[in-house]
Amino acid sequence: MYKHFFKRVIDFFLSLLGAIILLPVFLLISLAIIIDDPGPVFFKQKRVGKNKKLFWLHKFRSMKVKTPKDVPTHMLENPDQYITKVGKFLRKTSLDELPQIFDILIGKMSIIGPRPALYNQDDLVAERDKYGANDVKPGLTGWAQINGRDELEIPVKAKLDGEYVERMGFFFDLRCFFGTIFSVLRGDGVVEGGTGELNKNKEKSDDNNEQQKVSEENSVETEKE
């Protein structure tokens, strides 16, 4: 009953309330974007929705007008060069995602669910197929978002999305909702160009530890001599 009725009712009323309350914030962000880098305030992109149907997802524009189109941030060479000053703040605080309130309002998205993949992210879509994660509405935030976000490798992200589908319910959605608030306040998992950065950072740390170990061993040998 929750999955097929109450979830949509909650999505509708919360997104409507949010759009009304946050109107002043929308206006201030829009003005800041225009001043920083003249151009469109909103950015829209084809994303994969429920049952793999494509829809237009909306965000506040956080990247320069000259940025290559339809390229995931993690596939850009030196993505920082394309992000505006205001955009860095918006992405760090996740405020760039706010326009998706309207995507939720019209029923293309849900507040909680797997983050919608780009239309050309075939690897992520294929992985999600294994867990039935393409069969539900994508969300503004979700289980994977509070367990690593940009840092996660695609197979790990898809598995977490599948776990969400299995555990979907009112209380689990509440857990994801409040978990997102704490994650945003801490700035967890936001890594520009960072899909898989969690694993990369671990490997880097392991390499540094190994180098330190070798250095210590060499130092001991030198002392012996």
Side-chain angles (χ1 to χ4, degrees):
M1 192 69 175
Y2 173 75
K3 296 179 184 179
H4 301 291
F5 179 71
F6 286 112
K7 186 174 173 67
R8 174 57 190 154
V9 171
I10 292 172
D11 283 343
F12 178 81
F13 283 106
L14 286 184
S15 60
L16 180 60
L17 182 63
I20 295 171
I21 293 175
L22 294 173
L23 182 59
V25 177
F26 272 75
L27 295 175
L28 287 174
I29 292 175
S30 299
L31 182 61
I33 291 171
I34 293 172
I35 293 174
D36 188 17
D37 186 58
V41 169
F42 298 107
F43 167 77
K44 68 176 185 177
Q45 195 173 52
K46 283 184 181 178
R47 295 291 182 114
V48 180
K50 183 178 179 180
N51 298 322
K52 294 189 279 191
K53 292 183 179 179
L54 299 181
F55 73 100
W56 288 106
L57 174 140
H58 296 82
K59 291 186 177 187
F60 279 121
R61 182 172 60 86
S62 61
M63 305 188 85
K64 297 175 182 177
V65 176
K66 66 178 183 180
T67 305
K69 306 298 182 184
D70 294 329
V71 179
T73 306
H74 70 273
M75 293 181 68
L76 289 170
E77 185 176 349
N78 186 19
D80 279 335
Q81 67 177 309
Y82 297 108
I83 302 173
T84 64
K85 293 177 182 178
V86 170
K88 287 181 180 179
F89 173 75
L90 294 178
R91 294 164 79 96
K92 185 68 176 178
T93 58
S94 296
L95 288 172
D96 62 318
E97 310 283 358
L98 283 182
Q100 288 160 54
I101 286 177
F102 298 103
D103 295 325
I104 296 169
L105 187 63
I106 64 176
K108 297 297 182 180
M109 291 178 62
S110 180
I111 294 174
I112 310 296
R115 283 296 296 161
L118 275 166
Y119 75 94
N120 54 2
Q121 280 186 293
D122 297 330
D123 49 355
L124 178 56
V125 174
E127 283 293 321
R128 282 177 170 172
D129 266 337
K130 299 177 182 178
Y131 306 102
N134 291 315
D135 302 331
V136 298
K137 284 183 183 179
L140 178 63
T141 186
W143 186 231
Q145 290 296 101
I146 61 175
N147 282 283
R149 195 172 175 174
D150 297 333
E151 297 178 332
L152 298 174
E153 295 280 1
I154 281 176
V156 178
K157 184 181 293 186
K159 188 173 182 179
L160 286 168
D161 290 332
E163 186 178 339
Y164 169 75
V165 174
E166 290 181 0
R167 301 174 65 181
M168 188 193 304
F170 177 71
F171 291 106
F172 194 60
D173 276 4
L174 275 182
R175 181 176 176 181
C176 291
F177 181 82
F178 287 109
T180 297
I181 294 175
F182 292 125
S183 292
V184 169
L185 290 176
R186 293 193 301 260
D188 291 348
V190 182
V191 182
E192 298 306 341
T195 294
E197 284 297 315
L198 188 63
N199 191 49
K200 292 175 187 176
N201 289 338
K202 182 178 182 300
E203 290 175 355
K204 185 177 180 180
S205 178
D206 290 343
D207 288 342
N208 290 338
N209 290 337
E210 185 64 28
Q211 290 174 6
Q212 183 177 356
K213 183 178 179 182
V214 171
S215 178
E216 290 173 353
E217 289 174 350
N218 290 339
S219 177
V220 170
E221 290 297 327
T222 302
E223 289 176 2
K224 287 180 179 179
E225 292 173 0

PDB file of all heavy atoms in Angstrom, residues 26 30 33 39-44 58-62 96 98-100 102:
ATOM      1  N   PHE A  26      15.211  29.892  -4.167  1.00  0.00           N
ATOM      2  CA  PHE A  26      15.307  29.713  -5.613  1.00  0.00           C
ATOM      3  C   PHE A  26      15.704  31.033  -6.287  1.00  0.00           C
ATOM      4  O   PHE A  26      16.551  31.061  -7.177  1.00  0.00           O
ATOM      5  CB  PHE A  26      13.972  29.228  -6.186  1.00  0.00           C
ATOM      6  CG  PHE A  26      13.812  27.735  -6.194  1.00  0.00           C
ATOM      7  CD1 PHE A  26      13.542  27.038  -5.033  1.00  0.00           C
ATOM      8  CD2 PHE A  26      13.935  27.020  -7.378  1.00  0.00           C
ATOM      9  CE1 PHE A  26      13.403  25.663  -5.040  1.00  0.00           C
ATOM     10  CE2 PHE A  26      13.797  25.647  -7.405  1.00  0.00           C
ATOM     11  CZ  PHE A  26      13.526  24.963  -6.234  1.00  0.00           C
ATOM     12  N   SER A  30      19.232  31.743  -8.213  1.00  0.00           N
ATOM     13  CA  SER A  30      19.131  32.112  -9.627  1.00  0.00           C
ATOM     14  C   SER A  30      19.917  33.383  -9.919  1.00  0.00           C
ATOM     15  O   SER A  30      20.657  33.463 -10.911  1.00  0.00           O
ATOM     16  CB  SER A  30      17.663  32.317 -10.022  1.00  0.00           C
ATOM     17  OG  SER A  30      16.920  31.121  -9.850  1.00  0.00           O
ATOM     18  N   ILE A  33      23.731  32.714  -9.788  1.00  0.00           N
ATOM     19  CA  ILE A  33      24.201  31.986 -10.970  1.00  0.00           C
ATOM     20  C   ILE A  33      24.401  32.933 -12.149  1.00  0.00           C
ATOM     21  O   ILE A  33      25.413  32.874 -12.846  1.00  0.00           O
ATOM     22  CB  ILE A  33      23.202  30.872 -11.344  1.00  0.00           C
ATOM     23  CG1 ILE A  33      23.222  29.765 -10.291  1.00  0.00           C
ATOM     24  CG2 ILE A  33      23.525  30.284 -12.719  1.00  0.00           C
ATOM     25  CD1 ILE A  33      22.132  28.720 -10.454  1.00  0.00           C
ATOM     26  N   GLY A  39      24.032  33.190 -18.251  1.00  0.00           N
ATOM     27  CA  GLY A  39      23.494  32.084 -19.041  1.00  0.00           C
ATOM     28  C   GLY A  39      22.261  31.530 -18.356  1.00  0.00           C
ATOM     29  O   GLY A  39      21.727  32.141 -17.418  1.00  0.00           O
ATOM     30  N   PRO A  40      21.793  30.369 -18.797  1.00  0.00           N
ATOM     31  CA  PRO A  40      20.598  29.759 -18.205  1.00  0.00           C
ATOM     32  C   PRO A  40      20.776  29.481 -16.715  1.00  0.00           C
ATOM     33  O   PRO A  40      21.868  29.128 -16.269  1.00  0.00           O
ATOM     34  CB  PRO A  40      20.450  28.449 -18.987  1.00  0.00           C
ATOM     35  CG  PRO A  40      21.224  28.649 -20.242  1.00  0.00           C
ATOM     36  CD  PRO A  40      22.355  29.560 -19.892  1.00  0.00           C
ATOM     37  N   VAL A  41      19.707  29.635 -15.968  1.00  0.00           N
ATOM     38  CA  VAL A  41      19.731  29.350 -14.530  1.00  0.00           C
ATOM     39  C   VAL A  41      19.633  27.852 -14.300  1.00  0.00           C
ATOM     40  O   VAL A  41      20.327  27.290 -13.443  1.00  0.00           O
ATOM     41  CB  VAL A  41      18.580  30.072 -13.815  1.00  0.00           C
ATOM     42  CG1 VAL A  41      18.436  29.565 -12.375  1.00  0.00           C
ATOM     43  CG2 VAL A  41      18.809  31.575 -13.828  1.00  0.00           C
ATOM     44  N   PHE A  42      18.777  27.217 -15.089  1.00  0.00           N
ATOM     45  CA  PHE A  42      18.540  25.787 -14.911  1.00  0.00           C
ATOM     46  C   PHE A  42      19.290  24.960 -15.949  1.00  0.00           C
ATOM     47  O   PHE A  42      19.603  25.439 -17.053  1.00  0.00           O
ATOM     48  CB  PHE A  42      17.049  25.474 -14.994  1.00  0.00           C
ATOM     49  CG  PHE A  42      16.232  26.148 -13.921  1.00  0.00           C
ATOM     50  CD1 PHE A  42      15.406  27.221 -14.227  1.00  0.00           C
ATOM     51  CD2 PHE A  42      16.294  25.714 -12.610  1.00  0.00           C
ATOM     52  CE1 PHE A  42      14.667  27.847 -13.245  1.00  0.00           C
ATOM     53  CE2 PHE A  42      15.556  26.333 -11.613  1.00  0.00           C
ATOM     54  CZ  PHE A  42      14.730  27.401 -11.936  1.00  0.00           C
ATOM     55  N   PHE A  43      19.577  23.756 -15.554  1.00  0.00           N
ATOM     56  CA  PHE A  43      20.268  22.808 -16.418  1.00  0.00           C
ATOM     57  C   PHE A  43      19.384  21.568 -16.500  1.00  0.00           C
ATOM     58  O   PHE A  43      18.920  21.055 -15.476  1.00  0.00           O
ATOM     59  CB  PHE A  43      21.622  22.459 -15.796  1.00  0.00           C
ATOM     60  CG  PHE A  43      22.307  21.272 -16.418  1.00  0.00           C
ATOM     61  CD1 PHE A  43      22.943  21.383 -17.637  1.00  0.00           C
ATOM     62  CD2 PHE A  43      22.321  20.053 -15.761  1.00  0.00           C
ATOM     63  CE1 PHE A  43      23.585  20.299 -18.207  1.00  0.00           C
ATOM     64  CE2 PHE A  43      22.961  18.956 -16.315  1.00  0.00           C
ATOM     65  CZ  PHE A  43      23.601  19.090 -17.544  1.00  0.00           C
ATOM     66  N   LYS A  44      19.081  21.107 -17.693  1.00  0.00           N
ATOM     67  CA  LYS A  44      18.269  19.902 -17.815  1.00  0.00           C
ATOM     68  C   LYS A  44      19.039  18.842 -18.585  1.00  0.00           C
ATOM     69  O   LYS A  44      19.860  19.152 -19.452  1.00  0.00           O
ATOM     70  CB  LYS A  44      16.921  20.184 -18.476  1.00  0.00           C
ATOM     71  CG  LYS A  44      16.965  20.568 -19.938  1.00  0.00           C
ATOM     72  CD  LYS A  44      15.538  20.724 -20.467  1.00  0.00           C
ATOM     73  CE  LYS A  44      15.537  20.991 -21.975  1.00  0.00           C
ATOM     74  NZ  LYS A  44      14.168  21.083 -22.524  1.00  0.00           N
ATOM     75  N   HIS A  58      16.013  18.202 -13.838  1.00  0.00           N
ATOM     76  CA  HIS A  58      16.388  19.615 -13.743  1.00  0.00           C
ATOM     77  C   HIS A  58      17.269  19.882 -12.525  1.00  0.00           C
ATOM     78  O   HIS A  58      17.051  19.330 -11.452  1.00  0.00           O
ATOM     79  CB  HIS A  58      15.140  20.483 -13.677  1.00  0.00           C
ATOM     80  CG  HIS A  58      14.297  20.404 -14.909  1.00  0.00           C
ATOM     81  ND1 HIS A  58      13.395  19.366 -15.128  1.00  0.00           N
ATOM     82  CD2 HIS A  58      14.225  21.202 -16.008  1.00  0.00           C
ATOM     83  CE1 HIS A  58      12.811  19.539 -16.301  1.00  0.00           C
ATOM     84  NE2 HIS A  58      13.286  20.642 -16.849  1.00  0.00           N
ATOM     85  N   LYS A  59      18.256  20.743 -12.735  1.00  0.00           N
ATOM     86  CA  LYS A  59      19.147  21.185 -11.670  1.00  0.00           C
ATOM     87  C   LYS A  59      19.421  22.676 -11.849  1.00  0.00           C
ATOM     88  O   LYS A  59      19.188  23.231 -12.910  1.00  0.00           O
ATOM     89  CB  LYS A  59      20.500  20.457 -11.728  1.00  0.00           C
ATOM     90  CG  LYS A  59      20.483  18.982 -11.384  1.00  0.00           C
ATOM     91  CD  LYS A  59      21.928  18.463 -11.348  1.00  0.00           C
ATOM     92  CE  LYS A  59      21.976  17.011 -10.938  1.00  0.00           C
ATOM     93  NZ  LYS A  59      23.377  16.544 -10.740  1.00  0.00           N
ATOM     94  N   PHE A  60      19.953  23.286 -10.790  1.00  0.00           N
ATOM     95  CA  PHE A  60      20.527  24.600 -10.971  1.00  0.00           C
ATOM     96  C   PHE A  60      21.849  24.407 -11.709  1.00  0.00           C
ATOM     97  O   PHE A  60      22.605  23.482 -11.413  1.00  0.00           O
ATOM     98  CB  PHE A  60      20.795  25.285  -9.626  1.00  0.00           C
ATOM     99  CG  PHE A  60      19.589  25.924  -9.003  1.00  0.00           C
ATOM    100  CD1 PHE A  60      19.147  25.525  -7.750  1.00  0.00           C
ATOM    101  CD2 PHE A  60      18.904  26.930  -9.669  1.00  0.00           C
ATOM    102  CE1 PHE A  60      18.028  26.116  -7.169  1.00  0.00           C
ATOM    103  CE2 PHE A  60      17.785  27.533  -9.103  1.00  0.00           C
ATOM    104  CZ  PHE A  60      17.356  27.117  -7.861  1.00  0.00           C
ATOM    105  N   ARG A  61      22.115  25.273 -12.656  1.00  0.00           N
ATOM    106  CA  ARG A  61      23.364  25.147 -13.415  1.00  0.00           C
ATOM    107  C   ARG A  61      24.545  25.473 -12.506  1.00  0.00           C
ATOM    108  O   ARG A  61      24.643  26.550 -11.936  1.00  0.00           O
ATOM    109  CB  ARG A  61      23.350  26.084 -14.623  1.00  0.00           C
ATOM    110  CG  ARG A  61      24.603  25.979 -15.487  1.00  0.00           C
ATOM    111  CD  ARG A  61      24.442  26.778 -16.774  1.00  0.00           C
ATOM    112  NE  ARG A  61      24.218  28.195 -16.529  1.00  0.00           N
ATOM    113  CZ  ARG A  61      25.190  29.094 -16.345  1.00  0.00           C
ATOM    114  NH1 ARG A  61      26.452  28.713 -16.389  1.00  0.00           N
ATOM    115  NH2 ARG A  61      24.899  30.368 -16.140  1.00  0.00           N
ATOM    116  N   SER A  62      25.469  24.520 -12.396  1.00  0.00           N
ATOM    117  CA  SER A  62      26.644  24.706 -11.550  1.00  0.00           C
ATOM    118  C   SER A  62      27.933  24.718 -12.371  1.00  0.00           C
ATOM    119  O   SER A  62      29.014  24.908 -11.815  1.00  0.00           O
ATOM    120  CB  SER A  62      26.726  23.590 -10.497  1.00  0.00           C
ATOM    121  OG  SER A  62      26.834  22.324 -11.130  1.00  0.00           O
ATOM    122  N   ASP A  96      22.200  22.433  -5.687  1.00  0.00           N
ATOM    123  CA  ASP A  96      21.954  22.367  -7.133  1.00  0.00           C
ATOM    124  C   ASP A  96      20.838  21.395  -7.480  1.00  0.00           C
ATOM    125  O   ASP A  96      20.258  21.441  -8.553  1.00  0.00           O
ATOM    126  CB  ASP A  96      23.241  21.989  -7.884  1.00  0.00           C
ATOM    127  CG  ASP A  96      23.775  20.621  -7.491  1.00  0.00           C
ATOM    128  OD1 ASP A  96      23.765  20.297  -6.285  1.00  0.00           O
ATOM    129  OD2 ASP A  96      24.206  19.874  -8.389  1.00  0.00           O
ATOM    130  N   LEU A  98      17.941  21.147  -5.925  1.00  0.00           N
ATOM    131  CA  LEU A  98      16.617  21.639  -5.500  1.00  0.00           C
ATOM    132  C   LEU A  98      15.547  21.672  -6.597  1.00  0.00           C
ATOM    133  O   LEU A  98      14.383  21.358  -6.324  1.00  0.00           O
ATOM    134  CB  LEU A  98      16.731  23.029  -4.877  1.00  0.00           C
ATOM    135  CG  LEU A  98      17.273  23.097  -3.443  1.00  0.00           C
ATOM    136  CD1 LEU A  98      17.289  24.539  -2.961  1.00  0.00           C
ATOM    137  CD2 LEU A  98      16.431  22.230  -2.509  1.00  0.00           C
ATOM    138  N   PRO A  99      15.873  22.052  -7.849  1.00  0.00           N
ATOM    139  CA  PRO A  99      14.821  22.082  -8.878  1.00  0.00           C
ATOM    140  C   PRO A  99      14.151  20.731  -9.132  1.00  0.00           C
ATOM    141  O   PRO A  99      13.076  20.675  -9.736  1.00  0.00           O
ATOM    142  CB  PRO A  99      15.573  22.567 -10.129  1.00  0.00           C
ATOM    143  CG  PRO A  99      16.679  23.406  -9.581  1.00  0.00           C
ATOM    144  CD  PRO A  99      17.121  22.663  -8.355  1.00  0.00           C
ATOM    145  N   GLN A 100      14.758  19.667  -8.660  1.00  0.00           N
ATOM    146  CA  GLN A 100      14.134  18.355  -8.838  1.00  0.00           C
ATOM    147  C   GLN A 100      12.865  18.203  -8.000  1.00  0.00           C
ATOM    148  O   GLN A 100      12.108  17.241  -8.157  1.00  0.00           O
ATOM    149  CB  GLN A 100      15.144  17.252  -8.510  1.00  0.00           C
ATOM    150  CG  GLN A 100      16.227  17.121  -9.573  1.00  0.00           C
ATOM    151  CD  GLN A 100      17.469  16.417  -9.083  1.00  0.00           C
ATOM    152  OE1 GLN A 100      17.408  15.324  -8.560  1.00  0.00           O
ATOM    153  NE2 GLN A 100      18.622  17.070  -9.259  1.00  0.00           N
ATOM    154  N   PHE A 102      10.408  19.928  -8.523  1.00  0.00           N
ATOM    155  CA  PHE A 102       9.346  20.002  -9.529  1.00  0.00           C
ATOM    156  C   PHE A 102       9.236  18.702 -10.330  1.00  0.00           C
ATOM    157  O   PHE A 102       8.155  18.336 -10.787  1.00  0.00           O
ATOM    158  CB  PHE A 102       9.587  21.196 -10.453  1.00  0.00           C
ATOM    159  CG  PHE A 102       9.569  22.514  -9.738  1.00  0.00           C
ATOM    160  CD1 PHE A 102      10.749  23.184  -9.448  1.00  0.00           C
ATOM    161  CD2 PHE A 102       8.375  23.069  -9.309  1.00  0.00           C
ATOM    162  CE1 PHE A 102      10.739  24.386  -8.762  1.00  0.00           C
ATOM    163  CE2 PHE A 102       8.343  24.280  -8.629  1.00  0.00           C
ATOM    164  CZ  PHE A 102       9.530  24.938  -8.342  1.00  0.00           C
TER     165      PHE A 102
END
